[in-house]
Coordinates of all heavy atoms in Angstrom, one line a residue:
M542 N -22.5 18.2 -0.5 CA -22.2 17.0 -1.2 C -21.0 16.4 -0.6 O -19.9 17.0 -0.5 CB -22.1 17.3 -2.7 CG -21.9 16.1 -3.5 SD -21.8 16.6 -5.2 CE -22.3 15.1 -6.0
S543 N -21.0 15.1 -0.3 CA -19.8 14.5 0.3 C -18.9 14.0 -0.8 O -19.3 13.7 -1.9 CB -20.2 13.3 1.2 OG -20.9 12.3 0.4
E544 N -17.6 13.9 -0.5 CA -16.6 13.5 -1.4 C -16.7 12.0 -1.7 O -17.0 11.2 -0.8 CB -15.2 13.8 -0.9 CG -14.1 13.7 -1.9 CD -12.8 14.2 -1.3 OE1 -12.7 14.8 -0.2 OE2 -11.8 14.1 -2.0
K545 N -16.5 11.6 -2.9 CA -16.5 10.2 -3.3 C -15.3 9.4 -2.8 O -14.2 9.9 -2.7 CB -16.6 10.1 -4.8 CG -16.8 8.8 -5.4 CD -16.8 8.8 -6.9 CE -17.0 7.4 -7.4 NZ -16.9 7.3 -8.9
S546 N -15.5 8.2 -2.4 CA -14.4 7.3 -1.9 C -13.5 7.1 -3.1 O -13.8 7.2 -4.2 CB -14.9 6.0 -1.4 OG -15.6 5.3 -2.4
V547 N -12.2 6.7 -2.7 CA -11.2 6.5 -3.7 C -10.6 5.1 -3.5 O -10.2 4.7 -2.4 CB -10.0 7.6 -3.5 CG1 -8.9 7.4 -4.5 CG2 -10.6 9.0 -3.5
L548 N -10.5 4.4 -4.6 CA -9.9 3.1 -4.7 C -8.5 3.2 -5.1 O -8.2 3.9 -6.1 CB -10.7 2.2 -5.6 CG -10.1 0.8 -5.9 CD1 -10.1 -0.1 -4.7 CD2 -10.9 0.2 -7.1
I549 N -7.6 2.5 -4.5 CA -6.2 2.5 -4.9 C -5.7 1.1 -5.1 O -6.0 0.2 -4.3 CB -5.3 3.1 -3.8 CG1 -5.6 4.6 -3.6 CG2 -3.8 3.0 -4.2 CD1 -4.8 5.3 -2.5
I550 N -5.1 0.9 -6.3 CA -4.4 -0.4 -6.6 C -3.0 0.0 -6.7 O -2.6 0.8 -7.6 CB -4.9 -1.0 -7.9 CG1 -6.5 -1.2 -7.9 CG2 -4.2 -2.3 -8.2 CD1 -7.0 -2.2 -6.9
A551 N -2.1 -0.6 -5.9 CA -0.7 -0.3 -5.9 C 0.1 -1.6 -6.1 O -0.1 -2.5 -5.2 CB -0.2 0.4 -4.7
T552 N 0.9 -1.7 -7.1 CA 1.7 -2.9 -7.3 C 3.2 -2.7 -7.0 O 3.7 -1.6 -7.4 CB 1.5 -3.5 -8.7 OG1 1.9 -2.6 -9.7 CG2 0.1 -4.0 -8.9
F553 N 3.8 -3.6 -6.4 CA 5.2 -3.5 -6.0 C 5.9 -4.7 -6.5 O 5.5 -5.9 -6.3 CB 5.4 -3.4 -4.5 CG 4.9 -2.1 -3.9 CD1 3.5 -1.9 -3.7 CD2 5.8 -1.2 -3.4 CE1 3.1 -0.7 -3.1 CE2 5.4 0.0 -2.9 CZ 4.0 0.2 -2.7
S554 N 7.0 -4.6 -7.2 CA 7.8 -5.7 -7.7 C 9.2 -5.6 -7.1 O 10.0 -4.7 -7.3 CB 8.0 -5.6 -9.2 OG 6.7 -5.8 -9.8
A555 N 9.5 -6.7 -6.3 CA 10.8 -6.7 -5.7 C 11.9 -7.2 -6.7 O 11.6 -7.8 -7.7 CB 10.8 -7.8 -4.5
K556 N 13.1 -6.8 -6.3 CA 14.3 -7.4 -7.1 C 14.2 -8.9 -6.9 O 13.7 -9.4 -5.9 CB 15.6 -6.8 -6.5 CG 15.8 -5.3 -6.8 CD 17.0 -4.8 -6.1 CE 17.2 -3.3 -6.4 NZ 18.3 -2.8 -5.6
P557 N 14.7 -9.6 -7.9 CA 14.6 -11.1 -7.8 C 15.2 -11.6 -6.5 O 16.3 -11.2 -6.0 CB 15.5 -11.5 -9.0 CG 15.4 -10.4 -10.0 CD 15.3 -9.2 -9.2
G558 N 14.4 -12.4 -5.8 CA 14.8 -13.0 -4.6 C 14.6 -12.1 -3.3 O 14.9 -12.5 -2.2
K559 N 14.1 -10.9 -3.5 CA 13.9 -10.0 -2.4 C 12.5 -9.9 -1.9 O 12.1 -9.0 -1.2 CB 14.4 -8.6 -2.8 CG 15.9 -8.5 -3.1 CD 16.7 -8.7 -1.8 CE 18.2 -8.5 -2.1 NZ 19.0 -8.7 -0.9
G560 N 11.6 -10.8 -2.4 CA 10.2 -10.8 -2.0 C 10.0 -10.9 -0.5 O 9.1 -10.2 0.0
D561 N 10.7 -11.8 0.2 CA 10.5 -11.9 1.6 C 10.8 -10.6 2.3 O 10.1 -10.1 3.2 CB 11.3 -13.0 2.2 CG 10.7 -14.4 1.8 OD1 9.5 -14.5 1.4 OD2 11.4 -15.4 1.9
A562 N 11.9 -10.0 1.9 CA 12.4 -8.7 2.5 C 11.4 -7.6 2.2 O 11.0 -6.8 3.1 CB 13.8 -8.3 2.0
L563 N 10.8 -7.6 1.0 CA 9.8 -6.6 0.7 C 8.5 -6.8 1.5 O 8.0 -5.8 2.0 CB 9.5 -6.6 -0.8 CG 8.5 -5.5 -1.3 CD1 9.0 -4.1 -1.0 CD2 8.3 -5.6 -2.8
F564 N 8.1 -8.0 1.6 CA 7.0 -8.4 2.4 C 7.1 -7.8 3.9 O 6.2 -7.3 4.5 CB 6.7 -9.9 2.5 CG 5.5 -10.2 3.3 CD1 4.2 -10.1 2.9 CD2 5.8 -10.7 4.6 CE1 3.2 -10.4 3.7 CE2 4.7 -11.1 5.4 CZ 3.4 -10.9 5.0
D565 N 8.3 -8.0 4.4 CA 8.6 -7.5 5.8 C 8.5 -6.0 5.9 O 8.3 -5.5 7.0 CB 10.0 -8.0 6.2 CG 10.1 -9.5 6.4 OD1 9.0 -10.1 6.6 OD2 11.2 -10.0 6.5
V566 N 8.6 -5.3 4.8 CA 8.5 -3.8 4.8 C 7.0 -3.4 4.6 O 6.5 -2.5 5.2 CB 9.4 -3.1 3.8 CG1 9.1 -1.7 3.7 CG2 10.9 -3.4 4.1
L567 N 6.3 -4.1 3.7 CA 5.0 -3.8 3.3 C 3.9 -4.2 4.4 O 3.0 -3.4 4.7 CB 4.6 -4.5 2.0 CG 5.4 -4.1 0.7 CD1 4.9 -4.9 -0.5 CD2 5.3 -2.6 0.4
N568 N 4.1 -5.4 4.9 CA 3.1 -5.9 5.8 C 2.8 -5.1 7.1 O 1.7 -5.0 7.5 CB 3.4 -7.4 6.1 CG 2.2 -8.1 6.8 OD1 1.1 -8.0 6.3 ND2 2.5 -8.7 7.9
P569 N 3.8 -4.5 7.7 CA 3.6 -3.8 8.9 C 2.7 -2.5 8.7 O 2.2 -2.0 9.7 CB 5.0 -3.4 9.4 CG 5.9 -4.4 8.8 CD 5.3 -4.7 7.5
C570 N 2.5 -2.1 7.5 CA 1.6 -1.0 7.2 C 0.1 -1.4 7.2 O -0.7 -0.5 7.3 CB 2.0 -0.4 5.8 SG 1.4 1.3 5.5
V571 N -0.2 -2.7 7.1 CA -1.6 -3.1 6.9 C -2.4 -2.8 8.2 O -3.4 -2.1 8.1 CB -1.7 -4.6 6.5 CG1 -3.1 -5.0 6.5 CG2 -1.0 -4.8 5.2
A572 N -2.1 -3.3 9.3 CA -2.9 -3.2 10.5 C -3.1 -1.7 10.9 O -4.3 -1.3 11.1 CB -2.3 -4.0 11.7
P573 N -2.1 -0.9 11.0 CA -2.4 0.5 11.4 C -3.1 1.3 10.3 O -3.9 2.2 10.7 CB -1.0 1.1 11.6 CG 0.0 0.2 11.0 CD -0.6 -1.2 10.9
S574 N -3.0 0.9 9.1 CA -3.8 1.6 8.0 C -5.2 1.3 8.2 O -6.1 2.2 8.0 CB -3.3 1.2 6.7 OG -1.9 1.6 6.5
R575 N -5.6 0.1 8.5 CA -7.0 -0.3 8.7 C -7.6 0.4 9.9 O -8.8 0.6 9.9 CB -7.0 -1.8 8.9 CG -6.8 -2.7 7.7 CD -6.8 -4.1 8.0 NE -6.6 -4.9 6.8 CZ -6.3 -6.2 6.8 NH1 -6.2 -6.9 8.0 NH2 -6.2 -6.9 5.7
L576 N -6.8 0.9 10.8 CA -7.3 1.6 12.0 C -7.6 3.1 11.7 O -8.2 3.7 12.5 CB -6.4 1.4 13.2 CG -6.3 0.0 13.7 CD1 -5.2 -0.1 14.8 CD2 -7.6 -0.6 14.2
E577 N -7.1 3.6 10.6 CA -7.2 5.0 10.3 C -8.7 5.3 10.1 O -9.4 4.5 9.4 CB -6.4 5.4 9.1 CG -4.9 5.3 9.4 CD -4.1 5.7 8.2 OE1 -4.4 6.8 7.6 OE2 -3.1 5.0 7.9
A578 N -9.1 6.5 10.5 CA -10.5 6.9 10.4 C -11.0 6.9 9.0 O -12.2 6.6 8.7 CB -10.7 8.2 11.1
G579 N -10.2 7.3 8.1 CA -10.6 7.4 6.7 C -10.5 6.2 5.8 O -10.8 6.2 4.7
N580 N -10.1 5.1 6.5 CA -9.9 3.8 5.7 C -11.2 3.0 5.7 O -11.9 2.9 6.6 CB -8.8 3.0 6.3 CG -8.6 1.7 5.6 OD1 -9.0 0.6 6.0 ND2 -7.9 1.8 4.4
V581 N -11.5 2.5 4.5 CA -12.6 1.6 4.3 C -12.1 0.2 4.3 O -12.7 -0.7 5.0 CB -13.4 1.9 3.0 CG1 -14.5 0.9 2.8 CG2 -13.9 3.3 3.0
H582 N -11.1 -0.1 3.5 CA -10.4 -1.4 3.6 C -9.0 -1.2 3.0 O -8.7 -0.3 2.3 CB -11.2 -2.5 2.8 CG -11.0 -2.5 1.4 ND1 -9.9 -2.4 0.7 CD2 -12.0 -2.6 0.4 CE1 -10.1 -2.4 -0.6 NE2 -11.4 -2.5 -0.8
Y583 N -8.1 -2.1 3.5 CA -6.7 -2.1 3.1 C -6.2 -3.5 3.2 O -6.0 -4.1 4.2 CB -6.0 -1.2 4.2 CG -4.6 -0.7 3.8 CD1 -4.4 0.5 3.2 CD2 -3.5 -1.5 4.1 CE1 -3.1 1.0 2.9 CE2 -2.2 -1.1 3.8 CZ -2.0 0.2 3.2 OH -0.8 0.6 2.9
D584 N -5.9 -4.0 2.0 CA -5.4 -5.4 1.9 C -4.2 -5.5 1.1 O -4.0 -4.8 0.1 CB -6.5 -6.3 1.2 CG -7.8 -6.3 2.1 OD1 -7.7 -6.6 3.3 OD2 -8.9 -6.1 1.5
L585 N -3.3 -6.4 1.5 CA -2.1 -6.7 0.8 C -2.1 -8.1 0.3 O -2.5 -9.1 1.0 CB -0.9 -6.5 1.8 CG 0.5 -7.0 1.2 CD1 0.9 -6.1 0.0 CD2 1.6 -6.9 2.3
Y586 N -1.8 -8.3 -1.0 CA -1.7 -9.6 -1.6 C -0.4 -9.9 -2.2 O 0.3 -9.0 -2.7 CB -2.8 -9.7 -2.8 CG -4.2 -9.4 -2.3 CD1 -4.7 -8.2 -2.4 CD2 -5.0 -10.5 -1.9 CE1 -6.0 -7.9 -2.0 CE2 -6.3 -10.2 -1.4 CZ -6.8 -9.0 -1.5 OH -8.0 -8.7 -1.1
R587 N 0.0 -11.2 -2.1 CA 1.3 -11.6 -2.7 C 1.0 -12.6 -3.8 O 0.2 -13.5 -3.6 CB 2.2 -12.3 -1.6 CG 3.6 -12.6 -2.1 CD 4.4 -13.0 -1.0 NE 5.8 -13.1 -1.3 CZ 6.8 -13.4 -0.5 NH1 6.5 -13.7 0.8 NH2 8.1 -13.4 -0.9
S588 N 1.6 -12.5 -5.0 CA 1.3 -13.4 -6.1 C 1.7 -14.8 -5.7 O 2.8 -15.0 -5.2 CB 2.1 -12.9 -7.3 OG 2.0 -13.8 -8.4
V589 N 0.8 -15.7 -6.1 CA 1.2 -17.1 -5.9 C 2.1 -17.6 -7.1 O 2.8 -18.6 -6.9 CB -0.1 -18.0 -5.9 CG1 -0.9 -17.7 -4.6 CG2 -0.9 -17.9 -7.1
E590 N 2.1 -16.9 -8.2 CA 3.0 -17.2 -9.3 C 4.4 -16.6 -9.2 O 5.3 -17.1 -9.8 CB 2.3 -16.8 -10.6 CG 1.0 -17.6 -10.8 CD 0.2 -17.0 -12.0 OE1 0.5 -15.9 -12.5 OE2 -0.8 -17.7 -12.4
N591 N 4.5 -15.4 -8.6 CA 5.7 -14.7 -8.5 C 5.8 -14.1 -7.1 O 5.3 -13.1 -6.8 CB 5.8 -13.6 -9.6 CG 7.0 -12.8 -9.5 OD1 7.9 -13.0 -8.6 ND2 7.2 -11.8 -10.3
P592 N 6.6 -14.8 -6.2 CA 6.7 -14.3 -4.8 C 7.4 -13.0 -4.7 O 7.4 -12.5 -3.5 CB 7.5 -15.4 -4.2 CG 8.3 -16.1 -5.3 CD 7.4 -16.0 -6.5
D593 N 7.8 -12.4 -5.7 CA 8.4 -11.0 -5.7 C 7.5 -10.0 -6.1 O 7.8 -8.8 -6.2 CB 9.7 -11.0 -6.6 CG 10.8 -11.9 -6.1 OD1 10.9 -12.1 -4.8 OD2 11.6 -12.3 -6.9
S594 N 6.2 -10.3 -6.3 CA 5.2 -9.4 -6.8 C 4.0 -9.2 -5.7 O 3.5 -10.2 -5.2 CB 4.6 -9.9 -8.1 OG 3.6 -9.0 -8.6
F595 N 3.7 -8.0 -5.4 CA 2.7 -7.6 -4.4 C 1.7 -6.6 -4.9 O 2.0 -5.8 -5.8 CB 3.4 -7.0 -3.2 CG 4.3 -8.0 -2.5 CD1 5.7 -8.1 -2.9 CD2 3.9 -8.8 -1.4 CE1 6.5 -9.0 -2.3 CE2 4.8 -9.7 -0.8 CZ 6.1 -9.8 -1.3
L596 N 0.5 -6.7 -4.3 CA -0.5 -5.7 -4.7 C -1.3 -5.2 -3.4 O -1.7 -6.1 -2.6 CB -1.5 -6.4 -5.6 CG -2.7 -5.6 -6.1 CD1 -3.0 -5.9 -7.6 CD2 -3.9 -5.8 -5.3
F597 N -1.4 -3.9 -3.3 CA -2.2 -3.3 -2.3 C -3.6 -3.0 -3.0 O -3.6 -2.4 -4.0 CB -1.7 -2.0 -1.7 CG -0.7 -2.2 -0.6 CD1 0.7 -1.9 -0.8 CD2 -1.0 -2.7 0.6 CE1 1.6 -2.0 0.2 CE2 -0.1 -2.8 1.6 CZ 1.2 -2.5 1.4
H598 N -4.7 -3.3 -2.3 CA -6.0 -3.0 -2.7 C -6.6 -2.2 -1.5 O -6.8 -2.8 -0.5 CB -6.8 -4.3 -3.0 CG -8.2 -4.0 -3.5 ND1 -9.3 -4.6 -2.9 CD2 -8.7 -3.3 -4.5 CE1 -10.4 -4.2 -3.5 NE2 -10.0 -3.4 -4.5
E599 N -6.9 -0.9 -1.8 CA -7.3 0.0 -0.7 C -8.5 0.8 -1.1 O -8.6 1.2 -2.3 CB -6.2 1.0 -0.3 CG -4.8 0.4 -0.2 CD -3.7 1.5 -0.2 OE1 -4.0 2.7 0.2 OE2 -2.6 1.2 -0.7
T600 N -9.3 1.1 -0.1 CA -10.4 2.1 -0.4 C -10.3 3.1 0.8 O -10.3 2.7 1.9 CB -11.8 1.5 -0.5 OG1 -11.8 0.5 -1.5 CG2 -12.9 2.5 -0.7
W601 N -10.4 4.4 0.4 CA -10.4 5.5 1.4 C -11.6 6.3 1.2 O -12.2 6.4 0.1 CB -9.1 6.3 1.2 CG -7.9 5.5 1.4 CD1 -7.2 4.7 0.5 CD2 -7.2 5.3 2.7 NE1 -6.1 4.1 1.2 CE2 -6.2 4.4 2.5 CE3 -7.5 5.8 4.0 CZ2 -5.3 4.0 3.5 CZ3 -6.7 5.4 5.0 CH2 -5.6 4.5 4.8
K602 N -12.1 6.9 2.3 CA -13.3 7.7 2.3 C -13.2 8.9 1.4 O -14.2 9.4 0.9 CB -13.7 8.1 3.7 CG -14.1 6.8 4.5 CD -14.5 7.2 5.9 CE -14.9 6.0 6.7 NZ -15.2 6.3 8.1
S603 N -12.0 9.5 1.2 CA -11.8 10.7 0.5 C -10.3 10.9 0.1 O -9.5 10.2 0.6 CB -12.3 11.9 1.3 OG -11.4 12.0 2.5
H604 N -10.1 11.9 -0.7 CA -8.7 12.2 -1.0 C -8.0 12.8 0.2 O -6.8 12.5 0.4 CB -8.6 13.3 -2.2 CG -9.0 12.7 -3.5 ND1 -8.0 11.9 -4.2 CD2 -10.1 12.7 -4.3 CE1 -8.6 11.5 -5.4 NE2 -9.8 12.0 -5.4
A605 N -8.7 13.5 1.0 CA -8.2 14.0 2.3 C -7.7 12.9 3.2 O -6.7 13.0 3.9 CB -9.2 14.9 3.0
A606 N -8.4 11.8 3.2 CA -8.1 10.6 4.0 C -6.8 10.0 3.5 O -5.9 9.6 4.3 CB -9.2 9.6 4.0
I607 N -6.6 10.0 2.2 CA -5.3 9.5 1.6 C -4.2 10.4 2.0 O -3.1 9.9 2.4 CB -5.4 9.4 0.1 CG1 -6.5 8.3 -0.3 CG2 -4.1 9.0 -0.5 CD1 -6.9 8.3 -1.7
E608 N -4.4 11.7 1.9 CA -3.4 12.7 2.3 C -3.0 12.5 3.8 O -1.8 12.5 4.1 CB -3.8 14.1 2.1 CG -3.9 14.4 0.6 CD -4.6 15.8 0.4 OE1 -4.8 16.6 1.3 OE2 -4.8 16.1 -0.8
E609 N -3.9 12.2 4.6 CA -3.6 12.0 6.1 C -2.9 10.7 6.2 O -1.9 10.6 7.0 CB -4.9 12.0 6.9 CG -4.7 11.9 8.3 CD -4.0 13.1 8.9 OE1 -4.0 14.2 8.4 OE2 -3.3 12.8 10.0
H610 N -3.3 9.6 5.5 CA -2.6 8.3 5.5 C -1.1 8.5 5.2 O -0.2 7.9 5.8 CB -3.3 7.4 4.6 CG -2.6 6.1 4.3 ND1 -2.3 5.2 5.3 CD2 -2.0 5.6 3.1 CE1 -1.6 4.2 4.7 NE2 -1.5 4.4 3.4
E611 N -0.8 9.3 4.1 CA 0.5 9.4 3.7 C 1.4 10.2 4.6 O 2.6 10.1 4.5 CB 0.5 10.1 2.3 CG -0.1 9.3 1.2 CD -0.3 10.0 -0.1 OE1 -0.2 11.2 -0.2 OE2 -0.5 9.2 -1.1
K612 N 0.9 10.8 5.7 CA 1.6 11.5 6.7 C 2.0 10.5 7.9 O 2.8 10.9 8.7 CB 0.8 12.7 7.3 CG 0.6 13.8 6.2 CD -0.3 14.8 6.9 CE -0.7 15.9 5.8 NZ -1.7 16.8 6.4
Q613 N 1.3 9.4 7.9 CA 1.4 8.5 9.1 C 2.8 7.8 9.1 O 3.4 7.5 8.1 CB 0.3 7.5 9.1 CG -1.1 8.0 9.1 CD -1.2 9.0 10.3 OE1 -1.0 8.6 11.5 NE2 -1.7 10.2 10.0
P614 N 3.4 7.6 10.3 CA 4.7 6.9 10.4 C 4.7 5.6 9.8 O 5.8 5.2 9.1 CB 4.9 6.8 12.0 CG 4.0 7.8 12.6 CD 2.8 8.0 11.6
H615 N 3.7 4.8 9.8 CA 3.7 3.4 9.2 C 3.8 3.6 7.7 O 4.5 2.7 7.0 CB 2.5 2.6 9.6 CG 1.2 3.2 9.5 ND1 0.6 4.0 10.5 CD2 0.3 3.2 8.4 CE1 -0.6 4.4 10.1 NE2 -0.8 4.0 8.8
F616 N 3.2 4.6 7.1 CA 3.3 4.8 5.6 C 4.7 5.3 5.3 O 5.3 4.9 4.3 CB 2.2 5.7 5.1 CG 2.3 5.9 3.6 CD1 1.8 5.0 2.8 CD2 2.9 7.1 3.1 CE1 1.8 5.2 1.4 CE2 3.0 7.3 1.8 CZ 2.4 6.3 0.9
Q617 N 5.2 6.3 6.1 CA 6.5 6.8 5.9 C 7.6 5.7 6.0 O 8.6 5.7 5.2 CB 6.8 8.0 6.8 CG 5.9 9.2 6.6 CD 6.2 9.8 5.2 OE1 7.3 10.0 4.8 NE2 5.1 10.2 4.5
N618 N 7.4 4.8 6.9 CA 8.4 3.7 7.1 C 8.4 2.8 5.8 O 9.4 2.3 5.4 CB 8.1 2.9 8.3 CG 8.4 3.6 9.6 OD1 9.2 4.6 9.6 ND2 7.8 3.2 10.7
L619 N 7.2 2.6 5.3 CA 7.0 1.8 4.1 C 7.8 2.4 2.9 O 8.6 1.8 2.3 CB 5.6 1.6 3.7 CG 5.2 0.7 2.5 CD1 3.9 0.1 2.6 CD2 5.3 1.6 1.2
I620 N 7.6 3.7 2.7 CA 8.2 4.4 1.6 C 9.7 4.4 1.8 O 10.5 4.1 0.8 CB 7.7 5.9 1.6 CG1 6.2 5.9 1.2 CG2 8.5 6.7 0.6 CD1 5.8 5.3 -0.1
A621 N 10.2 4.6 3.0 CA 11.7 4.6 3.2 C 12.3 3.2 3.0 O 13.4 3.0 2.6 CB 12.0 5.1 4.6
G622 N 11.5 2.2 3.4 CA 12.0 0.8 3.4 C 12.0 0.1 2.1 O 12.8 -0.8 1.9
V623 N 11.2 0.5 1.2 CA 11.1 -0.2 -0.1 C 12.1 0.1 -1.1 O 12.4 -0.7 -2.0 CB 9.7 -0.1 -0.7 CG1 8.6 -0.6 0.2 CG2 9.4 1.3 -1.2
E624 N 12.7 1.3 -1.1 CA 13.5 1.8 -2.2 C 14.6 0.9 -2.6 O 14.7 0.6 -3.8 CB 14.1 3.2 -1.8 CG 14.8 3.8 -2.9 CD 15.3 5.2 -2.6 OE1 14.9 5.8 -1.5 OE2 16.1 5.7 -3.3
S625 N 15.3 0.3 -1.7 CA 16.5 -0.6 -2.1 C 16.0 -2.0 -2.5 O 16.8 -2.7 -3.0 CB 17.5 -0.7 -0.9 OG 16.9 -1.4 0.2
L626 N 14.7 -2.3 -2.3 CA 14.2 -3.6 -2.6 C 13.5 -3.7 -3.9 O 13.2 -4.8 -4.4 CB 13.3 -4.1 -1.5 CG 13.9 -4.1 -0.1 CD1 12.9 -4.4 1.0 CD2 15.0 -5.2 0.0
L627 N 13.1 -2.6 -4.5 CA 12.2 -2.6 -5.7 C 13.0 -2.8 -7.0 O 14.1 -2.2 -7.2 CB 11.4 -1.4 -5.7 CG 10.4 -1.1 -4.6 CD1 9.7 0.2 -4.8 CD2 9.4 -2.3 -4.6
A628 N 12.4 -3.6 -7.9 CA 13.0 -3.8 -9.2 C 12.6 -2.6 -10.1 O 13.3 -2.3 -11.1 CB 12.5 -5.1 -9.8
A629 N 11.5 -1.9 -9.8 CA 11.0 -0.8 -10.5 C 10.1 0.1 -9.6 O 9.7 -0.5 -8.6 CB 10.2 -1.2 -11.7
P630 N 9.9 1.3 -9.9 CA 9.0 2.1 -9.1 C 7.6 1.4 -9.0 O 7.1 0.8 -9.9 CB 8.9 3.4 -9.8 CG 10.1 3.5 -10.6 CD 10.4 2.1 -11.1
P631 N 6.9 1.6 -7.9 CA 5.6 1.0 -7.8 C 4.6 1.6 -8.8 O 4.8 2.8 -9.2 CB 5.1 1.3 -6.3 CG 6.1 2.3 -5.8 CD 7.3 2.3 -6.7
V632 N 3.6 0.9 -9.2 CA 2.6 1.3 -10.1 C 1.4 1.6 -9.2 O 0.8 0.7 -8.6 CB 2.3 0.4 -11.2 CG1 1.2 0.9 -12.1 CG2 3.6 0.1 -12.0
I633 N 0.9 2.9 -9.2 CA -0.2 3.2 -8.3 C -1.3 3.8 -9.1 O -1.1 4.8 -9.9 CB 0.3 4.2 -7.2 CG1 1.4 3.6 -6.4 CG2 -0.9 4.6 -6.3 CD1 2.1 4.5 -5.5
T634 N -2.5 3.2 -9.0 CA -3.6 3.7 -9.8 C -4.7 4.1 -8.8 O -5.1 3.3 -7.9 CB -4.2 2.5 -10.7 OG1 -3.1 2.1 -11.6 CG2 -5.4 3.0 -11.5
K635 N -5.2 5.3 -8.9 CA -6.3 5.8 -8.1 C -7.6 5.9 -8.9 O -7.6 6.5 -10.0 CB -6.0 7.1 -7.5 CG -4.8 7.1 -6.5 CD -4.5 8.4 -5.9 CE -3.3 8.3 -5.0 NZ -2.9 9.7 -4.5
I636 N -8.7 5.3 -8.4 CA -9.9 5.2 -9.2 C -11.0 5.9 -8.3 O -11.2 5.6 -7.2 CB -10.3 3.8 -9.5 CG1 -9.2 3.1 -10.3 CG2 -11.6 3.8 -10.3 CD1 -9.3 1.7 -10.5

């Protein structure tokens, strides 16, 4: 029996006025993540109402694919780069 795919919704809220800087950290993760073997889709959205608010909508083939993604340099750069820009920890929901 194959493992079920996993949907991730991750929201990031920048400190006031830091939305552009946060985008510059989040966006470089999109293209290489889409190229990963375990990725089904990986999209980044920015709120039209609040430019400091972002949402990742991702689908991965398995939990193992997510674990592999989290080891990748582009993901590690994202994690390291967001800390000083966030108003609160990201909210990550896996379905």
Side-chain angles (χ1 to χ4, degrees):
M542 181 179 207
S543 63
E544 191 172 355
K545 185 177 176 185
S546 64
V547 181
L548 172 68
I549 296 178
I550 305 293
T552 57
F553 291 77
S554 296
K556 292 177 182 173
K559 296 291 184 181
D561 288 341
L563 184 57
F564 177 79
D565 290 344
V566 173
L567 300 177
N568 193 50
C570 197
V571 174
S574 296
R575 288 177 176 166
L576 295 175
E577 291 180 49
N580 183 257
V581 177
H582 79 50
Y583 194 94
D584 297 312
L585 173 63
Y586 300 93
R587 189 173 191 176
S588 172
V589 295
E590 297 171 350
N591 177 359
D593 294 331
S594 181
F595 297 86
L596 179 141
F597 276 112
H598 181 234
E599 317 166 24
T600 301
W601 296 90
K602 292 180 182 177
S603 66
H604 286 282
I607 295 168
E608 290 174 9
E609 187 62 28
H610 169 64
E611 291 173 348
K612 296 176 187 174
Q613 300 305 308
H615 51 272
F616 181 80
Q617 292 298 316
N618 290 340
L619 181 152
I620 296 302
V623 298
E624 187 173 348
S625 67
L626 300 171
L627 295 178
V632 176
I633 300 169
T634 303
K635 295 178 183 178
I636 303 169

